[in-house]
Amino acid sequence: MKEVHKTNQHRLDTLHEDLENSSKTIDRLEGITDDSGRYRFFQEMRGYVRDLLECFNEKVPLVNELETAMHQLLKQQATRFVQRRQDDIKDESSEYSSHSSQSILKVFIFH
């Protein structure tokens, strides 16, 4: 729970930083009136987007691989849990059967 809170808090902090950076960019853009400033800005944005796409192209396969591994682990855990529950039920059933067999034998022996 604390870990989820930390993650969410980190996301919130990141979003606040992004909001602040976006506000600064908007303020800066509103101050730009000449074409050379706009051209420079769009060139910077173009570089940023290319870098971001390159980063995503590198990270997405890793994220997908980790996600698949996580799903496999969860599937294994669920399978073990089901197997354990089935074993518990079998044990309870055999214990009940042995008690009932003993009760039936006692009834026959005493009559």
Side-chain angles (χ1 to χ4, degrees), residues 68-99:
T68 301
M70 181 187 70
H71 285 294
Q72 288 295 331
L73 289 173
L74 290 173
K75 185 177 178 181
Q76 289 173 359
Q77 182 183 21
T79 302
R80 283 194 304 264
F81 178 75
V82 167
Q83 184 63 44
R84 189 171 121 206
R85 185 66 185 135
Q86 288 174 347
D87 291 344
D88 289 346
I89 290 171
K90 284 179 187 176
D91 290 344
E92 289 174 7
S93 175
S94 66
E95 186 176 317
Y96 178 75
S97 294
S98 71
H99 284 300

PDB file of all heavy atoms in Angstrom, residues 68-99:
ATOM      1  N   THR A  68       4.924  -9.657 -19.567  1.00  0.00           N
ATOM      2  CA  THR A  68       4.663 -11.072 -19.847  1.00  0.00           C
ATOM      3  C   THR A  68       5.191 -11.939 -18.707  1.00  0.00           C
ATOM      4  O   THR A  68       4.507 -12.872 -18.262  1.00  0.00           O
ATOM      5  CB  THR A  68       5.327 -11.485 -21.177  1.00  0.00           C
ATOM      6  OG1 THR A  68       4.786 -10.666 -22.219  1.00  0.00           O
ATOM      7  CG2 THR A  68       5.076 -12.938 -21.498  1.00  0.00           C
ATOM      8  N   ALA A  69       6.375 -11.630 -18.231  1.00  0.00           N
ATOM      9  CA  ALA A  69       6.946 -12.391 -17.113  1.00  0.00           C
ATOM     10  C   ALA A  69       6.073 -12.256 -15.869  1.00  0.00           C
ATOM     11  O   ALA A  69       5.847 -13.235 -15.143  1.00  0.00           O
ATOM     12  CB  ALA A  69       8.367 -11.913 -16.822  1.00  0.00           C
ATOM     13  N   MET A  70       5.568 -11.055 -15.621  1.00  0.00           N
ATOM     14  CA  MET A  70       4.708 -10.834 -14.464  1.00  0.00           C
ATOM     15  C   MET A  70       3.428 -11.663 -14.589  1.00  0.00           C
ATOM     16  O   MET A  70       2.989 -12.290 -13.624  1.00  0.00           O
ATOM     17  CB  MET A  70       4.351  -9.352 -14.334  1.00  0.00           C
ATOM     18  CG  MET A  70       3.472  -9.056 -13.130  1.00  0.00           C
ATOM     19  SD  MET A  70       2.886  -7.366 -13.064  1.00  0.00           S
ATOM     20  CE  MET A  70       1.736  -7.346 -14.409  1.00  0.00           C
ATOM     21  N   HIS A  71       2.851 -11.676 -15.783  1.00  0.00           N
ATOM     22  CA  HIS A  71       1.636 -12.469 -15.984  1.00  0.00           C
ATOM     23  C   HIS A  71       1.905 -13.955 -15.771  1.00  0.00           C
ATOM     24  O   HIS A  71       1.066 -14.665 -15.202  1.00  0.00           O
ATOM     25  CB  HIS A  71       1.053 -12.223 -17.378  1.00  0.00           C
ATOM     26  CG  HIS A  71       0.367 -10.906 -17.514  1.00  0.00           C
ATOM     27  ND1 HIS A  71      -0.788 -10.584 -16.839  1.00  0.00           N
ATOM     28  CD2 HIS A  71       0.678  -9.815 -18.234  1.00  0.00           C
ATOM     29  CE1 HIS A  71      -1.165  -9.368 -17.149  1.00  0.00           C
ATOM     30  NE2 HIS A  71      -0.281  -8.862 -17.991  1.00  0.00           N
ATOM     31  N   GLN A  72       3.063 -14.424 -16.218  1.00  0.00           N
ATOM     32  CA  GLN A  72       3.424 -15.827 -16.015  1.00  0.00           C
ATOM     33  C   GLN A  72       3.549 -16.143 -14.521  1.00  0.00           C
ATOM     34  O   GLN A  72       3.084 -17.185 -14.064  1.00  0.00           O
ATOM     35  CB  GLN A  72       4.736 -16.159 -16.739  1.00  0.00           C
ATOM     36  CG  GLN A  72       4.608 -16.231 -18.238  1.00  0.00           C
ATOM     37  CD  GLN A  72       3.713 -17.376 -18.691  1.00  0.00           C
ATOM     38  OE1 GLN A  72       3.604 -18.395 -18.034  1.00  0.00           O
ATOM     39  NE2 GLN A  72       3.059 -17.185 -19.819  1.00  0.00           N
ATOM     40  N   LEU A  73       4.186 -15.246 -13.793  1.00  0.00           N
ATOM     41  CA  LEU A  73       4.331 -15.453 -12.352  1.00  0.00           C
ATOM     42  C   LEU A  73       2.973 -15.475 -11.651  1.00  0.00           C
ATOM     43  O   LEU A  73       2.725 -16.306 -10.772  1.00  0.00           O
ATOM     44  CB  LEU A  73       5.222 -14.374 -11.739  1.00  0.00           C
ATOM     45  CG  LEU A  73       6.702 -14.459 -12.080  1.00  0.00           C
ATOM     46  CD1 LEU A  73       7.442 -13.233 -11.559  1.00  0.00           C
ATOM     47  CD2 LEU A  73       7.304 -15.723 -11.498  1.00  0.00           C
ATOM     48  N   LEU A  74       2.097 -14.571 -12.038  1.00  0.00           N
ATOM     49  CA  LEU A  74       0.768 -14.545 -11.436  1.00  0.00           C
ATOM     50  C   LEU A  74      -0.011 -15.810 -11.781  1.00  0.00           C
ATOM     51  O   LEU A  74      -0.734 -16.357 -10.940  1.00  0.00           O
ATOM     52  CB  LEU A  74       0.002 -13.303 -11.897  1.00  0.00           C
ATOM     53  CG  LEU A  74       0.508 -11.971 -11.341  1.00  0.00           C
ATOM     54  CD1 LEU A  74      -0.228 -10.810 -12.004  1.00  0.00           C
ATOM     55  CD2 LEU A  74       0.348 -11.913  -9.833  1.00  0.00           C
ATOM     56  N   LYS A  75       0.152 -16.289 -12.999  1.00  0.00           N
ATOM     57  CA  LYS A  75      -0.513 -17.518 -13.418  1.00  0.00           C
ATOM     58  C   LYS A  75       0.008 -18.710 -12.615  1.00  0.00           C
ATOM     59  O   LYS A  75      -0.766 -19.548 -12.154  1.00  0.00           O
ATOM     60  CB  LYS A  75      -0.288 -17.737 -14.913  1.00  0.00           C
ATOM     61  CG  LYS A  75      -1.031 -18.907 -15.476  1.00  0.00           C
ATOM     62  CD  LYS A  75      -0.797 -18.997 -16.980  1.00  0.00           C
ATOM     63  CE  LYS A  75      -1.496 -20.202 -17.569  1.00  0.00           C
ATOM     64  NZ  LYS A  75      -1.247 -20.308 -19.012  1.00  0.00           N
ATOM     65  N   GLN A  76       1.330 -18.773 -12.424  1.00  0.00           N
ATOM     66  CA  GLN A  76       1.924 -19.849 -11.632  1.00  0.00           C
ATOM     67  C   GLN A  76       1.435 -19.793 -10.189  1.00  0.00           C
ATOM     68  O   GLN A  76       1.124 -20.823  -9.580  1.00  0.00           O
ATOM     69  CB  GLN A  76       3.448 -19.760 -11.664  1.00  0.00           C
ATOM     70  CG  GLN A  76       4.064 -20.125 -12.979  1.00  0.00           C
ATOM     71  CD  GLN A  76       5.562 -19.844 -13.007  1.00  0.00           C
ATOM     72  OE1 GLN A  76       6.138 -19.361 -12.035  1.00  0.00           O
ATOM     73  NE2 GLN A  76       6.193 -20.148 -14.136  1.00  0.00           N
ATOM     74  N   GLN A  77       1.367 -18.591  -9.646  1.00  0.00           N
ATOM     75  CA  GLN A  77       0.904 -18.430  -8.275  1.00  0.00           C
ATOM     76  C   GLN A  77      -0.545 -18.899  -8.141  1.00  0.00           C
ATOM     77  O   GLN A  77      -0.894 -19.603  -7.188  1.00  0.00           O
ATOM     78  CB  GLN A  77       1.021 -16.961  -7.857  1.00  0.00           C
ATOM     79  CG  GLN A  77       0.609 -16.688  -6.434  1.00  0.00           C
ATOM     80  CD  GLN A  77       0.686 -15.202  -6.110  1.00  0.00           C
ATOM     81  OE1 GLN A  77       0.661 -14.359  -6.981  1.00  0.00           O
ATOM     82  NE2 GLN A  77       0.751 -14.897  -4.836  1.00  0.00           N
ATOM     83  N   ALA A  78      -1.383 -18.529  -9.092  1.00  0.00           N
ATOM     84  CA  ALA A  78      -2.784 -18.956  -9.057  1.00  0.00           C
ATOM     85  C   ALA A  78      -2.891 -20.470  -9.185  1.00  0.00           C
ATOM     86  O   ALA A  78      -3.693 -21.109  -8.480  1.00  0.00           O
ATOM     87  CB  ALA A  78      -3.567 -18.264 -10.172  1.00  0.00           C
ATOM     88  N   THR A  79      -2.073 -21.058 -10.046  1.00  0.00           N
ATOM     89  CA  THR A  79      -2.087 -22.505 -10.220  1.00  0.00           C
ATOM     90  C   THR A  79      -1.674 -23.211  -8.936  1.00  0.00           C
ATOM     91  O   THR A  79      -2.304 -24.194  -8.526  1.00  0.00           O
ATOM     92  CB  THR A  79      -1.147 -22.917 -11.379  1.00  0.00           C
ATOM     93  OG1 THR A  79      -1.566 -22.247 -12.569  1.00  0.00           O
ATOM     94  CG2 THR A  79      -1.152 -24.407 -11.601  1.00  0.00           C
ATOM     95  N   ARG A  80      -0.622 -22.699  -8.293  1.00  0.00           N
ATOM     96  CA  ARG A  80      -0.186 -23.291  -7.020  1.00  0.00           C
ATOM     97  C   ARG A  80      -1.267 -23.152  -5.953  1.00  0.00           C
ATOM     98  O   ARG A  80      -1.496 -24.071  -5.164  1.00  0.00           O
ATOM     99  CB  ARG A  80       1.107 -22.634  -6.549  1.00  0.00           C
ATOM    100  CG  ARG A  80       2.342 -23.120  -7.281  1.00  0.00           C
ATOM    101  CD  ARG A  80       3.627 -22.705  -6.572  1.00  0.00           C
ATOM    102  NE  ARG A  80       3.714 -21.272  -6.370  1.00  0.00           N
ATOM    103  CZ  ARG A  80       4.361 -20.437  -7.167  1.00  0.00           C
ATOM    104  NH1 ARG A  80       4.987 -20.881  -8.227  1.00  0.00           N
ATOM    105  NH2 ARG A  80       4.392 -19.134  -6.891  1.00  0.00           N
ATOM    106  N   PHE A  81      -1.933 -22.015  -5.929  1.00  0.00           N
ATOM    107  CA  PHE A  81      -2.990 -21.795  -4.942  1.00  0.00           C
ATOM    108  C   PHE A  81      -4.137 -22.778  -5.173  1.00  0.00           C
ATOM    109  O   PHE A  81      -4.651 -23.383  -4.222  1.00  0.00           O
ATOM    110  CB  PHE A  81      -3.499 -20.356  -5.027  1.00  0.00           C
ATOM    111  CG  PHE A  81      -4.622 -20.069  -4.074  1.00  0.00           C
ATOM    112  CD1 PHE A  81      -4.362 -19.911  -2.725  1.00  0.00           C
ATOM    113  CD2 PHE A  81      -5.921 -19.971  -4.534  1.00  0.00           C
ATOM    114  CE1 PHE A  81      -5.394 -19.651  -1.841  1.00  0.00           C
ATOM    115  CE2 PHE A  81      -6.963 -19.710  -3.655  1.00  0.00           C
ATOM    116  CZ  PHE A  81      -6.698 -19.552  -2.311  1.00  0.00           C
ATOM    117  N   VAL A  82      -4.542 -22.957  -6.428  1.00  0.00           N
ATOM    118  CA  VAL A  82      -5.621 -23.895  -6.744  1.00  0.00           C
ATOM    119  C   VAL A  82      -5.206 -25.308  -6.374  1.00  0.00           C
ATOM    120  O   VAL A  82      -5.989 -26.060  -5.770  1.00  0.00           O
ATOM    121  CB  VAL A  82      -6.010 -23.787  -8.240  1.00  0.00           C
ATOM    122  CG1 VAL A  82      -6.891 -24.946  -8.666  1.00  0.00           C
ATOM    123  CG2 VAL A  82      -6.698 -22.468  -8.519  1.00  0.00           C
ATOM    124  N   GLN A  83      -3.980 -25.690  -6.706  1.00  0.00           N
ATOM    125  CA  GLN A  83      -3.500 -27.028  -6.380  1.00  0.00           C
ATOM    126  C   GLN A  83      -3.475 -27.243  -4.873  1.00  0.00           C
ATOM    127  O   GLN A  83      -3.873 -28.300  -4.382  1.00  0.00           O
ATOM    128  CB  GLN A  83      -2.104 -27.256  -6.979  1.00  0.00           C
ATOM    129  CG  GLN A  83      -1.572 -28.650  -6.759  1.00  0.00           C
ATOM    130  CD  GLN A  83      -2.421 -29.704  -7.430  1.00  0.00           C
ATOM    131  OE1 GLN A  83      -2.829 -29.542  -8.564  1.00  0.00           O
ATOM    132  NE2 GLN A  83      -2.717 -30.769  -6.722  1.00  0.00           N
ATOM    133  N   ARG A  84      -3.019 -26.253  -4.144  1.00  0.00           N
ATOM    134  CA  ARG A  84      -2.974 -26.352  -2.685  1.00  0.00           C
ATOM    135  C   ARG A  84      -4.371 -26.509  -2.108  1.00  0.00           C
ATOM    136  O   ARG A  84      -4.607 -27.312  -1.216  1.00  0.00           O
ATOM    137  CB  ARG A  84      -2.290 -25.126  -2.108  1.00  0.00           C
ATOM    138  CG  ARG A  84      -2.003 -25.252  -0.628  1.00  0.00           C
ATOM    139  CD  ARG A  84      -1.139 -24.123  -0.146  1.00  0.00           C
ATOM    140  NE  ARG A  84      -1.875 -23.432   0.882  1.00  0.00           N
ATOM    141  CZ  ARG A  84      -1.726 -22.180   1.224  1.00  0.00           C
ATOM    142  NH1 ARG A  84      -0.842 -21.440   0.601  1.00  0.00           N
ATOM    143  NH2 ARG A  84      -2.415 -21.635   2.170  1.00  0.00           N
ATOM    144  N   ARG A  85      -5.309 -25.754  -2.650  1.00  0.00           N
ATOM    145  CA  ARG A  85      -6.690 -25.844  -2.176  1.00  0.00           C
ATOM    146  C   ARG A  85      -7.276 -27.216  -2.484  1.00  0.00           C
ATOM    147  O   ARG A  85      -7.962 -27.802  -1.648  1.00  0.00           O
ATOM    148  CB  ARG A  85      -7.529 -24.730  -2.820  1.00  0.00           C
ATOM    149  CG  ARG A  85      -8.929 -24.667  -2.313  1.00  0.00           C
ATOM    150  CD  ARG A  85      -8.957 -24.258  -0.848  1.00  0.00           C
ATOM    151  NE  ARG A  85     -10.318 -24.313  -0.367  1.00  0.00           N
ATOM    152  CZ  ARG A  85     -10.687 -24.846   0.772  1.00  0.00           C
ATOM    153  NH1 ARG A  85      -9.779 -25.335   1.586  1.00  0.00           N
ATOM    154  NH2 ARG A  85     -11.940 -24.865   1.113  1.00  0.00           N
ATOM    155  N   GLN A  86      -6.972 -27.742  -3.676  1.00  0.00           N
ATOM    156  CA  GLN A  86      -7.457 -29.079  -4.024  1.00  0.00           C
ATOM    157  C   GLN A  86      -6.851 -30.132  -3.105  1.00  0.00           C
ATOM    158  O   GLN A  86      -7.547 -31.057  -2.668  1.00  0.00           O
ATOM    159  CB  GLN A  86      -7.122 -29.396  -5.482  1.00  0.00           C
ATOM    160  CG  GLN A  86      -7.956 -28.636  -6.465  1.00  0.00           C
ATOM    161  CD  GLN A  86      -7.519 -28.850  -7.907  1.00  0.00           C
ATOM    162  OE1 GLN A  86      -6.436 -29.383  -8.170  1.00  0.00           O
ATOM    163  NE2 GLN A  86      -8.363 -28.426  -8.836  1.00  0.00           N
ATOM    164  N   ASP A  87      -5.569 -29.991  -2.790  1.00  0.00           N
ATOM    165  CA  ASP A  87      -4.925 -30.926  -1.862  1.00  0.00           C
ATOM    166  C   ASP A  87      -5.553 -30.844  -0.482  1.00  0.00           C
ATOM    167  O   ASP A  87      -5.767 -31.876   0.177  1.00  0.00           O
ATOM    168  CB  ASP A  87      -3.422 -30.645  -1.775  1.00  0.00           C
ATOM    169  CG  ASP A  87      -2.681 -30.988  -3.052  1.00  0.00           C
ATOM    170  OD1 ASP A  87      -3.250 -31.712  -3.900  1.00  0.00           O
ATOM    171  OD2 ASP A  87      -1.534 -30.512  -3.215  1.00  0.00           O
ATOM    172  N   ASP A  88      -5.860 -29.637  -0.025  1.00  0.00           N
ATOM    173  CA  ASP A  88      -6.517 -29.469   1.272  1.00  0.00           C
ATOM    174  C   ASP A  88      -7.882 -30.158   1.286  1.00  0.00           C
ATOM    175  O   ASP A  88      -8.248 -30.827   2.260  1.00  0.00           O
ATOM    176  CB  ASP A  88      -6.692 -27.985   1.614  1.00  0.00           C
ATOM    177  CG  ASP A  88      -5.385 -27.288   1.948  1.00  0.00           C
ATOM    178  OD1 ASP A  88      -4.381 -27.999   2.186  1.00  0.00           O
ATOM    179  OD2 ASP A  88      -5.377 -26.033   1.977  1.00  0.00           O
ATOM    180  N   ILE A  89      -8.620 -30.008   0.208  1.00  0.00           N
ATOM    181  CA  ILE A  89      -9.943 -30.633   0.125  1.00  0.00           C
ATOM    182  C   ILE A  89      -9.814 -32.150   0.120  1.00  0.00           C
ATOM    183  O   ILE A  89     -10.581 -32.859   0.792  1.00  0.00           O
ATOM    184  CB  ILE A  89     -10.709 -30.123  -1.120  1.00  0.00           C
ATOM    185  CG1 ILE A  89     -11.102 -28.672  -0.905  1.00  0.00           C
ATOM    186  CG2 ILE A  89     -11.933 -30.985  -1.398  1.00  0.00           C
ATOM    187  CD1 ILE A  89     -11.671 -27.987  -2.128  1.00  0.00           C
ATOM    188  N   LYS A  90      -8.820 -32.675  -0.610  1.00  0.00           N
ATOM    189  CA  LYS A  90      -8.591 -34.125  -0.621  1.00  0.00           C
ATOM    190  C   LYS A  90      -8.236 -34.625   0.773  1.00  0.00           C
ATOM    191  O   LYS A  90      -8.719 -35.671   1.213  1.00  0.00           O
ATOM    192  CB  LYS A  90      -7.472 -34.476  -1.590  1.00  0.00           C
ATOM    193  CG  LYS A  90      -7.860 -34.422  -3.031  1.00  0.00           C
ATOM    194  CD  LYS A  90      -6.672 -34.756  -3.926  1.00  0.00           C
ATOM    195  CE  LYS A  90      -7.003 -34.539  -5.379  1.00  0.00           C
ATOM    196  NZ  LYS A  90      -5.837 -34.760  -6.254  1.00  0.00           N
ATOM    197  N   ASP A  91      -7.368 -33.890   1.472  1.00  0.00           N
ATOM    198  CA  ASP A  91      -6.995 -34.276   2.834  1.00  0.00           C
ATOM    199  C   ASP A  91      -8.204 -34.279   3.752  1.00  0.00           C
ATOM    200  O   ASP A  91      -8.402 -35.212   4.543  1.00  0.00           O
ATOM    201  CB  ASP A  91      -5.925 -33.331   3.383  1.00  0.00           C
ATOM    202  CG  ASP A  91      -4.578 -33.497   2.717  1.00  0.00           C
ATOM    203  OD1 ASP A  91      -4.374 -34.532   2.046  1.00  0.00           O
ATOM    204  OD2 ASP A  91      -3.740 -32.575   2.864  1.00  0.00           O
ATOM    205  N   GLU A  92      -9.018 -33.232   3.674  1.00  0.00           N
ATOM    206  CA  GLU A  92     -10.213 -33.164   4.512  1.00  0.00           C
ATOM    207  C   GLU A  92     -11.168 -34.304   4.176  1.00  0.00           C
ATOM    208  O   GLU A  92     -11.761 -34.915   5.068  1.00  0.00           O
ATOM    209  CB  GLU A  92     -10.915 -31.822   4.325  1.00  0.00           C
ATOM    210  CG  GLU A  92     -10.178 -30.655   4.927  1.00  0.00           C
ATOM    211  CD  GLU A  92     -10.824 -29.308   4.603  1.00  0.00           C
ATOM    212  OE1 GLU A  92     -11.928 -29.291   4.009  1.00  0.00           O
ATOM    213  OE2 GLU A  92     -10.225 -28.285   4.947  1.00  0.00           O
ATOM    214  N   SER A  93     -11.293 -34.600   2.892  1.00  0.00           N
ATOM    215  CA  SER A  93     -12.180 -35.675   2.455  1.00  0.00           C
ATOM    216  C   SER A  93     -11.697 -37.030   2.974  1.00  0.00           C
ATOM    217  O   SER A  93     -12.484 -37.828   3.477  1.00  0.00           O
ATOM    218  CB  SER A  93     -12.251 -35.687   0.937  1.00  0.00           C
ATOM    219  OG  SER A  93     -12.992 -36.777   0.481  1.00  0.00           O
ATOM    220  N   SER A  94     -10.388 -37.286   2.845  1.00  0.00           N
ATOM    221  CA  SER A  94      -9.863 -38.569   3.325  1.00  0.00           C
ATOM    222  C   SER A  94      -9.959 -38.664   4.845  1.00  0.00           C
ATOM    223  O   SER A  94     -10.262 -39.731   5.392  1.00  0.00           O
ATOM    224  CB  SER A  94      -8.431 -38.779   2.853  1.00  0.00           C
ATOM    225  OG  SER A  94      -7.575 -37.834   3.434  1.00  0.00           O
ATOM    226  N   GLU A  95      -9.759 -37.548   5.528  1.00  0.00           N
ATOM    227  CA  GLU A  95      -9.887 -37.541   6.988  1.00  0.00           C
ATOM    228  C   GLU A  95     -11.346 -37.828   7.385  1.00  0.00           C
ATOM    229  O   GLU A  95     -11.611 -38.620   8.285  1.00  0.00           O
ATOM    230  CB  GLU A  95      -9.445 -36.192   7.536  1.00  0.00           C
ATOM    231  CG  GLU A  95      -9.394 -36.125   9.043  1.00  0.00           C
ATOM    232  CD  GLU A  95      -8.863 -34.785   9.502  1.00  0.00           C
ATOM    233  OE1 GLU A  95      -7.886 -34.287   8.923  1.00  0.00           O
ATOM    234  OE2 GLU A  95      -9.464 -34.239  10.456  1.00  0.00           O
ATOM    235  N   TYR A  96     -12.260 -37.208   6.692  1.00  0.00           N
ATOM    236  CA  TYR A  96     -13.677 -37.434   6.969  1.00  0.00           C
ATOM    237  C   TYR A  96     -14.052 -38.883   6.677  1.00  0.00           C
ATOM    238  O   TYR A  96     -14.770 -39.520   7.447  1.00  0.00           O
ATOM    239  CB  TYR A  96     -14.536 -36.480   6.134  1.00  0.00           C
ATOM    240  CG  TYR A  96     -16.009 -36.690   6.318  1.00  0.00           C
ATOM    241  CD1 TYR A  96     -16.645 -36.261   7.470  1.00  0.00           C
ATOM    242  CD2 TYR A  96     -16.767 -37.344   5.347  1.00  0.00           C
ATOM    243  CE1 TYR A  96     -17.992 -36.469   7.653  1.00  0.00           C
ATOM    244  CE2 TYR A  96     -18.112 -37.556   5.509  1.00  0.00           C
ATOM    245  CZ  TYR A  96     -18.736 -37.113   6.663  1.00  0.00           C
ATOM    246  OH  TYR A  96     -20.063 -37.317   6.852  1.00  0.00           O
ATOM    247  N   SER A  97     -13.537 -39.412   5.582  1.00  0.00           N
ATOM    248  CA  SER A  97     -13.833 -40.800   5.209  1.00  0.00           C
ATOM    249  C   SER A  97     -13.307 -41.766   6.262  1.00  0.00           C
ATOM    250  O   SER A  97     -13.981 -42.728   6.629  1.00  0.00           O
ATOM    251  CB  SER A  97     -13.201 -41.143   3.865  1.00  0.00           C
ATOM    252  OG  SER A  97     -13.785 -40.414   2.843  1.00  0.00           O
ATOM    253  N   SER A  98     -12.105 -41.519   6.730  1.00  0.00           N
ATOM    254  CA  SER A  98     -11.534 -42.420   7.736  1.00  0.00           C
ATOM    255  C   SER A  98     -12.308 -42.326   9.045  1.00  0.00           C
ATOM    256  O   SER A  98     -12.563 -43.342   9.692  1.00  0.00           O
ATOM    257  CB  SER A  98     -10.056 -42.130   7.954  1.00  0.00           C
ATOM    258  OG  SER A  98      -9.876 -40.909   8.624  1.00  0.00           O
ATOM    259  N   HIS A  99     -12.746 -41.147   9.427  1.00  0.00           N
ATOM    260  CA  HIS A  99     -13.541 -40.994  10.651  1.00  0.00           C
ATOM    261  C   HIS A  99     -14.889 -41.675  10.479  1.00  0.00           C
ATOM    262  O   HIS A  99     -15.400 -42.326  11.385  1.00  0.00           O
ATOM    263  CB  HIS A  99     -13.748 -39.513  10.994  1.00  0.00           C
ATOM    264  CG  HIS A  99     -12.552 -38.861  11.580  1.00  0.00           C
ATOM    265  ND1 HIS A  99     -11.962 -39.276  12.750  1.00  0.00           N
ATOM    266  CD2 HIS A  99     -11.809 -37.819  11.138  1.00  0.00           C
ATOM    267  CE1 HIS A  99     -10.919 -38.518  13.015  1.00  0.00           C
ATOM    268  NE2 HIS A  99     -10.793 -37.624  12.037  1.00  0.00           N
TER     269      HIS A  99
END
